[in-house]
Amino acid sequence: MRKVKAAVFASGTGSNFQAIMKASVENKLACEISLLVCDKPGARVVRLATNYTIPVFVFDPKNYSSKLAYEQEIIHKLQTLNVEWIFLAGYMRMIGPTLLEAYQNRIVNIHPSLLPAFPGKDAIGQAFAAKVMTTGVTVHFVDAGMDTGPIIEQASVAIYKGDTKETLHKRIQQVEHALYPKVINDLVYNSR
Ligand code: GRF
């Protein structure tokens, strides 16, 4: 059976992209990753995609007159490839109305906190500084706000005495890497 097509949007290290690709290579992903979209030429995730021989659209927003202009180009690439789902994995830009409208309820993000707690940048640092005992990971639909869309699934991560931001980050990443491919599969299967 032909698999539904999806794109991953990422800006940086790409460890979540790697987890998704690992599931894909092991034939444990319900969709095919047809494109990586990256707004940071030179990001590690671009090299990863090349290693996996995944097509990449890398763009520098500075070369476009507006968000509308680059989002229109992204949409054109996605539609050419018949992409049905967009999974954000460390994509450090707000999604604009153009993309939100073209992919209604089809754009998903992963965030390293139990939303609505600690939205935005450095969620792990925010949780650590707040001295809470539990934080976690959220997978949610993307809307026009910053990490405000409907929550799909969450997983808790305890913060232990003696944790540093780094040790906490590592445990959160492990949870992210297991949770995101699983939620992707649930979404794709349930939308058939
Ligand atoms: C992850 O913590 C994800 O939850 C957040 O950005 C980070 C991306 O990390 N949205 P990586 O690039 O996948 O390693």
Side-chain angles (χ1 to χ4, degrees), residues 10-18 44-45 88-92 109-113 124 137-138 147 169 172-173 176-177 180:
S11 306
T13 314
S15 72
N16 280 281
F17 171 74
Q18 213 164 358
R44 176 179 179 264
V45 70
L88 309 186
Y91 182 65
M92 301 303 282
N109 182 41
I110 186 161
H111 182 80
S113 77
I124 297 172
V137 175
T138 302
D147 304 320
H169 186 191
I172 285 187
Q173 274 190 320
E176 286 190 329
H177 299 166
Y180 211 5

Side-chain angles (χ1 to χ4, degrees), residues 85-105:
W85 287 93
I86 297 173
F87 300 115
L88 309 186
Y91 182 65
M92 301 303 282
R93 278 180 190 275
M94 297 295 287
I95 301 294
T98 323
L99 252 171
L100 283 174
E101 199 172 300
Y103 280 87
Q104 269 180 38
N105 298 320

Side-chain angles (χ1 to χ4, degrees), residues 2 24 57 170 180:
R2 281 180 75 83
S24 176
F57 175 55
K170 263 211 176 104
Y180 211 5

Side-chain angles (χ1 to χ4, degrees), residues 85 100 103-111 114-116 137-154 180 183 187:
W85 287 93
L100 283 174
Y103 280 87
Q104 269 180 38
N105 298 320
R106 291 286 177 141
I107 310 180
V108 175
N109 182 41
I110 186 161
H111 182 80
L114 293 175
L115 290 170
V137 175
T138 302
V139 180
H140 65 96
F141 286 109
V142 173
D143 66 9
M146 169 80 87
D147 304 320
T148 52
I151 289 169
I152 302 165
E153 210 162 312
Q154 296 186 301
Y180 211 5
V183 175
L187 284 168

